[in-house]
Amino acid sequence: MGLFGKKPLKIGLIGLGKIAVDQHIPSIRGNKNLELVAGCSPHARPEGVNAYPDMDAMLKAHPEIEAIAICTPPQIRHKIAKAVIATGRHVFLEKPPAATLGEAEAIKTLAAAKGVSLLASWHSRFAPAVETTRKWVSERPIKSITIHWKENVRQWHPGQKWIFEAGGMGVFDPGINSLSILTRILRDSVMVKKADLHIPVNCDAPIQVEMDMQTEAGFPIRAEYDFLQAGIQTWSIYVESVAGEKLTLSMGGTELEVDGKTLMKEKEAEYSGLYAHFYNLIQKKESDADFSPLRIVADAMLLGKRIAAPEYIE
Amino acid sequence: MGLFGKKPLKIGLIGLGKIAVDQHIPSIRGNKNLELVAGCSPHARPEGVNAYPDMDAMLKAHPEIEAIAICTPPQIRHKIAKAVIATGRHVFLEKPPAATLGEAEAIKTLAAAKGVSLLASWHSRFAPAVETTRKWVSERPIKSITIHWKENVRQWHPGQKWIFEAGGMGVFDPGINSLSILTRILRDSVMVKKADLHIPVNCDAPIQVEMDMQTEAGFPIRAEYDFLQAGIQTWSIYVESVAGEKLTLSMGGTELEVDGKTLMKEKEAEYSGLYAHFYNLIQKKESDADFSPLRIVADAMLLGKRIAAPEYIE
């Protein structure tokens, strides 16, 4: 039984790869309001999960499933979301919500028409220090924001070939996490002004990006993404106020420092927050589908200068 | 005096390049409700136009200007539109409305806040046979749509270097015209599923594109764009119904054929229709700002496979 004596919400997973095993499965299991009933994948069979080869087989065996989280690569997410919504189940979309803005908007329209809850999830928005940062930013005029999101693709995305294929977004796959924080902490919308996209000669998506953005208020935002970062991994956002105060949100949003003083240093617990949010949306018959981080990436790809980078071999 | 004894609406132009001379100036002059007061450009001085070096000089000399058409390259359109809206004038944006979706949305927000009319123009939607095509398409189930938009960039865009620069969109600059017709004749929204982007090794924007799209209803839409078309120039949309009927909208929307029978063959008069529409929007205190053609291009650039094409030399 969940909180308040309610029966837990029955969840199925589509896609049982790395993110499902690392995050979704433990987060669902850690939430008393939720019950992981089954999952499906053409090949993966993680321990302790009732796994089926596809959605139809999973739902035939478990018609009691009420909500489905889609953790597949983004290229096939729209097709699967459409099928899930047609069965009347609530939908949790891993990030990015789809391969294109058009697909994402279509999913939103379908979910609204069917009356199911849709969560287009951005896990980084649930990092512990994001809300404090948002408050700090809203309380003073800002001079500039700089994003450094630099990680080693070989360490964090082993075997994930789709990431460098057309639609896989390359370094924007982690980079979009920083954009999901950026669009959460700013009230104004963000415009891309310039982007240098370094694309390996044997890939379709960038491995390194430098991007200049601006808000309508006019302060500059600079993002530097690097997928070949050896040594120290960096997932940091630096904010400087007009008055010269300096805030650093680091380690993907778990650590917060203002003017050299550590204010927060927490354990990562994004997916627990996400699943609690998903449960609340369903209870309130609401949806949360903000596509602005994906819009920024699409704008960067539309506007960006393509620069040939050396061949990438995993 | 305009129709109904009203004084004509006073218009200024920003950007006095090829499209201003070929289309805007004659269309404004041909409409009794409109008066071309002045224009500005850092260098161009077309005959018979009161030309100023920049917007500030133009508005200082002609504060009576009520509406401004922005005909500059898209890369600087947002900045100019922002300045125009700040002066309280109505805005006519050449296509595409801005360099990015973020900029386009920002312009829309600013215009709404200031209470001025905004027209994000798509001239091809005013081609004479588009509305008849829209009716035909809405009256029967559709099997497929094929777009061939093939023209010689050297003939139609002489000296327009910006077109192959980052944000210039390359062959999508004419191609987006076909997408503006497509999104007008279809009720359903359009999703990009696959795009092959042929980008010359010395350019940042594609010179040739093959793109597969789909509506939620599921029928395929194929677009083929070519900027190196020698010989016969093609701006055609072919529609086939489930029942096997065939409609061809050609010459950019001036000619219409159904099952081999010519139904329409008109003179091109898109900009006259556009300016009449702009005048009506202002009278009704309304705006028309649909960015879906730009969204499709952004999605194609997000999802597309980049293929190296030979160097382009004008």
Side-chain angles (χ1 to χ4, degrees):
Chain A
M1 292 297 240
L3 294 175
F4 317 118
K6 275 191 188 170
K7 274 192 190 165
L9 185 83
K10 292 181 169 57
I11 297 195
L13 290 179
I14 298 181
L16 295 169
K18 183 164 167 51
I19 194 73
V21 171
D22 289 356
Q23 299 288 356
H24 290 258
I25 295 170
S27 298
I28 296 168
R29 291 209 169 121
N31 186 325
K32 286 185 178 164
N33 289 316
L34 307 176
E35 181 189 341
L36 179 60
V37 174
C40 62
S41 163
H43 34 74
R45 293 287 171 273
E47 219 184 301
V49 177
N50 292 326
Y52 297 84
D54 56 42
M55 181 183 86
D56 288 347
M58 177 175 80
L59 292 181
K60 202 176 168 195
H62 298 284
E64 72 276 19
I65 288 173
E66 297 161 274
I68 288 181
I70 304 176
C71 323
T72 64
Q75 288 94 331
I76 52 171
R77 222 165 268 160
H78 163 262
K79 195 180 169 187
I80 293 173
K82 186 175 175 178
V84 169
I85 291 167
T87 75
R89 268 99 180 170
H90 305 292
V91 180
F92 178 128
L93 295 173
E94 242 308 333
K95 51 102 328 202
T100 64
L101 288 166
E103 288 183 352
E105 289 293 346
I107 294 171
K108 191 172 180 173
T109 303
L110 290 171
K114 193 76 177 184
V116 299
S117 289
L118 171 66
L119 171 58
S121 77
W122 300 106
H123 60 81
S124 292
R125 289 185 175 176
F126 287 82
V130 169
E131 286 310 301
T132 309
T133 302
R134 173 179 160 92
K135 189 160 176 291
W136 193 91
V137 167
S138 73
E139 286 169 350
R140 66 206 80 215
I142 300 303
K143 187 181 168 192
S144 67
I145 296 182
T146 306
I147 298 169
H148 286 177
W149 222 255
K150 302 179 176 190
E151 63 177 54
N152 185 347
V153 60
R154 293 181 175 91
Q155 177 181 350
W156 301 99
H157 302 273
Q160 291 177 290
K161 281 198 169 208
W162 59 267
I163 222 162
F164 283 116
E165 291 169 3
M169 304 208 314
V171 75
F172 279 118
D173 181 77
I176 204 169
N177 296 335
S178 72
L179 298 173
S180 75
I181 295 176
L182 182 72
T183 49
R184 174 74 190 154
I185 63 176
L186 293 179
R187 214 170 303 164
D188 267 19
S189 82
V190 172
M191 289 172 284
V192 181
K193 291 296 175 181
K194 186 171 181 290
D196 284 346
L197 312 169
H198 303 263
I199 304 178
V201 290
N202 61 336
C203 296
D204 286 303
I207 198 156
Q208 206 184 311
V209 170
E210 298 94 36
M211 177 159 72
D212 290 313
M213 298 169 279
Q214 218 175 66
T215 65
E216 203 61 88
F219 67 81
I221 303 163
R222 165 92 174 168
E224 296 180 10
Y225 300 134
D226 190 348
F227 231 164
L228 294 173
Q229 176 84 349
I232 295 173
Q233 308 285 291
T234 310
W235 300 278
S236 297
I237 299 180
Y238 309 94
V239 187
E240 188 171 350
S241 74
V242 170
E245 303 146 298
K246 287 178 183 172
L247 176 147
T248 302
L249 181 70
S250 56
M251 295 311 292
T254 54
E255 297 188 17
L256 182 65
E257 203 181 276
V258 174
D259 293 332
K261 204 177 133 193
T262 300
L263 297 192
M264 255 181 155
K265 193 167 179 166
E266 307 264 336
K267 278 188 81 173
E268 183 271 305
E270 300 173 0
Y271 278 77
S272 315
L274 261 183
Y275 269 100
H277 181 45
F278 185 45
Y279 180 78
N280 286 336
L281 287 172
I282 294 169
Q283 301 309 305
K284 294 190 284 177
K285 297 183 192 303
E286 289 177 3
S287 286
D288 175 2
D290 168 27
F291 305 135
S292 57
L294 184 59
R295 195 264 300 152
I296 294 173
V297 175
D299 278 346
M301 297 294 276
L302 179 65
L303 185 79
K305 206 172 168 61
R306 279 154 185 86
I307 298 162
E311 194 178 17
Y312 171 72
I313 295 155
E314 191 184 335
Chain B
M1 295 294 246
L3 295 174
F4 318 118
K6 275 191 187 169
K7 274 193 190 164
L9 184 83
K10 293 182 170 57
I11 297 194
L13 290 180
I14 298 179
L16 295 169
K18 184 165 165 52
I19 194 74
V21 172
D22 289 355
Q23 299 288 354
H24 290 259
I25 295 171
S27 298
I28 295 169
R29 292 209 168 121
N31 186 325
K32 286 184 180 166
N33 289 317
L34 307 176
E35 182 190 339
L36 179 61
V37 174
C40 63
S41 162
H43 35 74
R45 294 288 172 271
E47 220 185 299
V49 177
N50 292 325
Y52 297 85
D54 56 41
M55 181 183 86
D56 288 346
M58 176 174 81
L59 291 181
K60 200 174 171 196
H62 298 283
E64 72 275 20
I65 288 174
E66 298 161 275
I68 288 181
I70 304 175
C71 323
T72 65
Q75 288 94 330
I76 52 170
R77 221 165 268 161
H78 163 263
K79 195 179 169 188
I80 294 173
K82 187 175 174 176
V84 169
I85 291 167
T87 74
R89 268 94 179 175
H90 306 290
V91 181
F92 178 128
L93 294 173
E94 244 307 334
K95 51 105 323 206
T100 63
L101 288 167
E103 288 184 351
E105 290 293 346
I107 294 172
K108 192 172 177 173
T109 303
L110 290 171
K114 192 77 177 182
V116 300
S117 289
L118 171 67
L119 172 58
S121 77
W122 300 106
H123 61 82
S124 291
R125 289 185 175 175
F126 288 82
V130 169
E131 286 310 301
T132 309
T133 301
R134 174 179 159 93
K135 189 160 178 292
W136 192 90
V137 166
S138 73
E139 286 170 349
R140 67 207 80 216
I142 300 303
K143 186 181 168 192
S144 68
I145 296 182
T146 306
I147 297 169
H148 286 176
W149 221 258
K150 300 178 178 193
E151 65 178 54
N152 184 348
V153 62
R154 292 182 175 92
Q155 177 180 350
W156 300 98
H157 303 273
Q160 291 178 292
K161 280 198 169 205
W162 59 266
I163 223 162
F164 284 117
E165 288 169 5
M169 304 207 315
V171 74
F172 278 119
D173 180 78
I176 205 170
N177 295 335
S178 72
L179 297 174
S180 74
I181 296 177
L182 182 71
T183 49
R184 175 74 190 154
I185 64 176
L186 293 179
R187 213 169 305 164
D188 266 19
S189 80
V190 172
M191 290 171 282
V192 180
K193 291 297 176 180
K194 187 173 181 288
D196 283 347
L197 312 168
H198 304 264
I199 304 178
V201 290
N202 61 335
C203 296
D204 286 305
I207 198 156
Q208 205 185 312
V209 170
E210 298 95 36
M211 178 160 69
D212 291 313
M213 297 169 280
Q214 217 175 66
T215 65
E216 204 59 88
F219 67 81
I221 303 164
R222 166 90 174 170
E224 296 179 9
Y225 300 134
D226 190 349
F227 231 164
L228 294 173
Q229 176 84 349
I232 295 174
Q233 306 287 291
T234 310
W235 301 279
S236 297
I237 299 179
Y238 309 93
V239 188
E240 188 171 350
S241 74
V242 170
E245 302 147 296
K246 287 177 184 175
L247 176 147
T248 303
L249 181 70
S250 55
M251 294 312 290
T254 54
E255 298 188 17
L256 182 65
E257 202 181 277
V258 174
D259 294 331
K261 203 176 133 193
T262 299
L263 296 193
M264 255 178 154
K265 194 168 179 167
E266 307 263 337
K267 277 188 82 172
E268 183 272 306
E270 299 173 0
Y271 278 77
S272 315
L274 261 183
Y275 269 100
H277 181 46
F278 185 45
Y279 180 78
N280 287 336
L281 286 172
I282 293 170
Q283 300 309 305
K284 294 190 287 176
K285 298 183 191 305
E286 289 178 2
S287 287
D288 175 1
D290 169 26
F291 305 135
S292 57
L294 184 60
R295 195 265 300 151
I296 294 173
V297 175
D299 279 346
M301 296 295 276
L302 179 64
L303 185 78
K305 206 175 167 60
R306 279 153 186 88
I307 298 162
E311 194 178 16
Y312 171 72
I313 295 155
E314 188 183 338

